[in-house]
Amino acid sequence: MDDLDIDNSKIPSRDDEAASGKPDMLWYVLKVQSNRERTIRDALLRRIKRDHLDEYFGEIIIPTERIVETKSGKKRVREQRLYPGYIMIQMILNDDSWYLVRDTGGVGDFTGSAGKPIPMREEEIVRMLGQEETKEEEPTKVKINLGVGDTVKIGEGTFESFEGSIEAIDDASGKISVLIEIFGRPTPVELEHWQVEKI
């Protein structure tokens, strides 16, 4: 462990905690191997339990959002990582908790400066965890592989075979507005995103 580049004087020891009372848990961001976030989180949870350090750890979260994909007219909801290669961990930082996290396979380091883990600020926690007071339920975004201005051909429905350009996209509903020419006039029509294909 001698090769770790951290200033131990900046990390409170168990004796410091006993003298001052138990400190509050803070949120930190961990850099981890991308595409292994879930297995690394599970490994951390197992090690915390095995080493009986539950009192120093709170939640371990992989921030995600729900994405709706449509294939052949069928909708499928899947979770997509918001920050690939990062995990948020709520913990009391001391020698034991720090070494447990750093010695877990796949963990790179805490985000911070000069080897000193820096806790997240309140506004960062709210933004990354999506805990805005007004948000009752996490909205689901529809995955649409099209952009405003793209030229598309309508594949089904009343305007089948018409071509036009995308004027607006609504990620929440999965609907798009396409400007097509009807009787020589540009007219916007609302369609499901899967009814068109890019040309």
Side-chain angles (χ1 to χ4, degrees):
M1 304 257 180
D2 296 333
D3 60 336
L4 296 172
D5 58 345
I6 188 157
D7 180 355
N8 286 319
S9 65
K10 303 230 168 77
I11 296 180
S13 68
R14 280 186 168 180
D15 296 334
D16 294 335
E17 288 167 19
S20 63
K22 192 173 177 184
D24 290 333
M25 287 195 186
L26 299 172
W27 282 101
Y28 297 88
V29 178
L30 288 177
K31 295 179 200 169
V32 299
Q33 287 181 354
S34 198
N35 296 321
R36 287 195 55 214
E37 294 88 351
R38 186 159 275 126
T39 56
I40 292 166
R41 183 192 64 190
D42 294 345
L44 281 166
L45 292 169
R46 278 194 305 274
R47 293 195 66 197
I48 290 164
K49 194 168 191 168
R50 185 194 70 197
D51 294 355
H52 306 291
L53 293 174
D54 309 70
E55 62 183 304
Y56 298 122
F57 291 90
E59 295 181 79
I60 301 174
I61 292 176
I62 304 163
T64 59
E65 66 179 344
R66 290 182 300 175
I67 300 289
V68 176
E69 292 179 319
T70 307
K71 286 185 180 173
S72 308
K74 291 185 179 178
K75 288 186 179 181
R76 184 174 71 94
V77 178
R78 70 175 178 85
E79 284 203 340
Q80 178 174 291
R81 294 182 308 277
L82 287 173
Y83 309 101
Y86 291 92
I87 289 177
M88 294 176 62
I89 186 166
Q90 187 184 33
M91 61 186 285
I92 294 169
L93 193 65
N94 61 29
D95 286 338
D96 295 330
S97 62
W98 187 84
Y99 286 123
L100 180 142
V101 171
R102 283 297 308 271
D103 282 351
T104 300
V107 173
D109 202 353
F110 287 90
T111 57
S113 57
K116 181 182 182 293
I118 305 290
M120 295 171 65
R121 294 191 308 273
E122 189 64 37
E123 60 269 20
E124 292 173 323
I125 296 167
V126 170
R127 188 179 72 241
M128 286 182 79
L129 290 179
Q131 293 177 334
E132 299 90 343
E133 290 84 12
T134 55
K135 185 155 87 173
E136 289 178 11
E137 187 170 316
E138 183 182 326
T140 304
K141 287 187 182 175
V142 178
K143 185 178 181 184
I144 301 175
N145 295 321
L146 299 165
V148 173
D150 285 353
T151 303
V152 293
K153 182 175 183 176
I154 299 170
E156 58 181 82
T158 310
F159 302 103
E160 187 175 348
S161 300
F162 277 72
E163 291 180 10
S165 64
I166 296 177
E167 193 177 47
I169 296 175
D170 183 355
D171 283 342
S173 68
K175 295 189 183 293
I176 59 172
S177 178
V178 178
L179 205 59
I180 60 173
E181 216 168 277
I182 301 174
F183 305 119
R185 289 187 163 161
T187 307
V189 293
E190 188 177 77
L191 301 163
E192 296 286 349
H193 70 281
W194 49 265
Q195 289 181 289
V196 304
E197 60 180 34
K198 193 173 174 179
I199 54 174

